[in-house]
Amino acid sequence: MQAIQTKTHTTSEPLISFVITTYDLPSSMLRSCIDSILALSLDKGEREIVLIDDGSKTSPLTDLADYREDILYIRQRNSGLSQARNRGIQCSSGIYLQFVDGDDMLNVQAYDYCLDLLRQHSPDIVTFHLTDKRDVQVPNSHEGTMSGSEFMRHHNLRASACGYLFKKALLLNHRFTPDILHEDEEFTPLLFLRADRLIATEARAYYYRERPSSIMHQNDEQWISRRLSDMREVLFRLHDRCATLPQEEREGLQRRVHQLTMDYLYNIITLTHNSDQLEDALPLLQERGLFPLPDKNYTAKYAMFRKMVNSSHGRKLLCRLLK
């Protein structure tokens, strides 16, 4: 593993370490990403930018030479997103962490709103929204402070690890599971359960770009099979974890498990277009007590999907409607 450092560390801890991951991305995208971080209301000593290059065929370092005083560049063998983020965690020194995919950016004013809340309240986690829009309004209110488990009991969890900033001290030994897809689905809820003080915002602070070549847009049969298999294994691990938790935490994680079960069945329908594959998945879920979906009114979408997928007639209709 090769590591190249292009920044001199200061003696004091940065407030936030931004962990950017990249693999074969155009340098122009990385520059836009870094520029959006540099534009935030953070002094140089308050920020740390850790750029993890997960074995790109060509290093972008030459094209980023003018950022050498602002970034810590680390190049490793291609090991996948989980390992790249874990490497970023290891190399970061900030009090808070923010994950950023190298092809995305931060919406500066909306993110600065989250930074203001962080400075005022010192929460464990601040949540915000991902958006495909650059021109966004800045909210004037927030929800919290609450525990992470309380948030999970009453809200849909957005699993993307880029959708919140959090105290590094929450992690202890918690890391992304290597070599799986849907790694955020496992990492995020288990991290949230560790938080005593969470602030939820409606800020659309993270700008993501849809790229047809991205990992989640592959659609060959083998890749779809791996996606579904990894998602099922994450679902089972989270379900097993529920049994070990106190009641309030268990209820929060169970809500996430139920919705992830819904997402898993939805993905089988939309990715395979195969009603037999859907029927084959149900006994495995049933053995774990995950099917039929429980009668909960988490959201209107969940309630409607539950009613349909729990009956054979409804499943046939779903397969036709979603095809």
Side-chain angles (χ1 to χ4, degrees):
M1 184 177 294
Q2 179 186 16
I4 304 173
Q5 181 171 322
T6 63
K7 174 188 171 185
T8 302
H9 279 294
T10 59
T11 55
S12 60
E13 287 181 328
L15 179 62
I16 304 180
S17 291
F18 296 90
V19 176
I20 304 173
T21 51
T22 181
Y23 173 71
D24 280 349
L25 290 175
S27 297
S28 59
M29 283 188 171
L30 293 175
R31 294 181 69 89
S32 297
C33 179
I34 295 169
D35 284 342
S36 73
I37 296 172
L38 296 177
L40 297 171
S41 60
L42 291 166
D43 295 335
K44 188 172 183 179
E46 292 182 302
R47 67 171 182 259
E48 177 183 57
I49 302 175
V50 182
L51 178 59
I52 306 295
D53 181 354
D54 187 34
S56 297
K57 296 179 181 66
T58 302
S59 169
L61 191 56
T62 300
D63 294 335
L64 303 176
D66 49 327
Y67 294 103
R68 62 184 178 275
E69 297 299 322
D70 296 301
I71 66 173
L72 173 64
Y73 174 83
I74 296 169
R75 181 175 171 83
Q76 65 178 27
R77 293 179 181 176
N78 181 244
S79 305
L81 179 59
S82 290
Q83 292 284 47
R85 285 177 174 168
N86 289 342
R87 180 71 168 155
I89 292 169
Q90 177 188 357
C91 297
S92 63
S93 58
I95 299 170
Y96 287 86
L97 286 179
Q98 172 69 61
F99 294 112
V100 188
D101 291 341
D103 49 350
D104 297 333
M105 290 181 279
L106 301 179
N107 282 329
V108 174
Q109 290 184 323
Y111 197 90
D112 273 340
Y113 171 77
C114 298
L115 291 179
D116 288 342
L117 294 174
L118 183 148
R119 294 182 178 109
Q120 293 167 22
H121 304 286
S122 299
D124 295 324
I125 295 176
V126 178
T127 74
F128 44 82
H129 289 269
L130 279 62
T131 179
D132 59 356
K133 303 290 191 298
R134 292 287 286 148
D135 185 18
V136 298
Q137 293 185 333
V138 179
N140 55 17
S141 63
H142 63 274
E143 185 179 358
T145 306
M146 70 191 88
S147 69
S149 60
E150 181 182 356
F151 176 82
M152 290 171 64
R153 289 199 307 274
H154 300 291
H155 298 80
N156 280 356
L157 184 69
R158 300 182 295 273
S160 172
C162 297
Y164 51 88
L165 60 96
F166 65 97
K167 279 187 176 176
K168 184 178 179 180
L170 284 182
L171 287 171
L172 298 177
N173 62 347
H174 184 47
R175 296 294 185 272
F176 292 91
T177 301
D179 302 321
I180 65 167
L181 303 173
H182 298 284
E183 62 280 322
D184 292 6
E185 295 287 4
E186 183 174 29
F187 179 87
T188 295
L190 297 181
L191 178 70
F192 274 45
L193 290 178
R194 296 167 178 244
D196 294 324
R197 305 181 69 252
L198 177 148
I199 292 176
T201 80
E202 294 298 316
R204 300 190 178 279
Y206 187 98
Y207 171 70
Y208 69 90
R209 306 191 219 210
E210 285 280 0
R211 291 193 306 122
S213 60
S214 70
I215 192 169
M216 297 309 289
H217 283 84
Q218 298 189 39
N219 59 7
D220 63 86
E221 187 173 333
Q222 183 176 2
W223 195 255
I224 289 172
S225 177
R226 183 188 170 191
R227 280 189 62 180
L228 293 173
S229 175
D230 285 357
M231 190 176 190
R232 183 180 64 245
E233 292 308 309
V234 167
L235 173 60
F236 288 172
R237 287 199 293 269
L238 291 178
H239 177 62
D240 291 344
R241 187 65 175 271
C242 287
T244 69
L245 298 173
Q247 181 175 350
E248 290 188 358
E249 294 181 7
R250 183 170 64 251
E251 290 176 357
L253 187 55
Q254 280 177 333
R255 171 171 177 153
R256 184 60 197 156
V257 165
H258 296 155
Q259 292 182 304
L260 191 56
T261 305
M262 176 187 73
D263 292 343
Y264 171 62
L265 296 172
Y266 178 89
N267 282 342
I268 291 176
I269 297 170
T270 57
L271 293 176
T272 71
H273 309 296
N274 188 326
S275 59
D276 290 338
Q277 191 160 336
L278 175 63
E279 294 300 323
D280 289 344
L282 300 182
L284 294 175
L285 297 177
Q286 201 162 12
E287 287 176 9
R288 298 275 186 147
L290 292 169
F291 187 83
L293 289 176
D295 186 4
K296 303 285 187 180
N297 291 316
Y298 296 137
T299 63
K301 177 182 177 182
Y302 175 89
M304 180 178 295
F305 188 89
R306 179 194 65 80
K307 289 179 181 178
M308 296 184 71
V309 82
N310 283 356
S311 74
S312 58
H313 176 73
R315 291 193 294 276
K316 291 177 182 177
L317 183 58
L318 278 172
C319 289
R320 289 199 297 269
L321 292 175
L322 297 176
K323 190 172 183 179

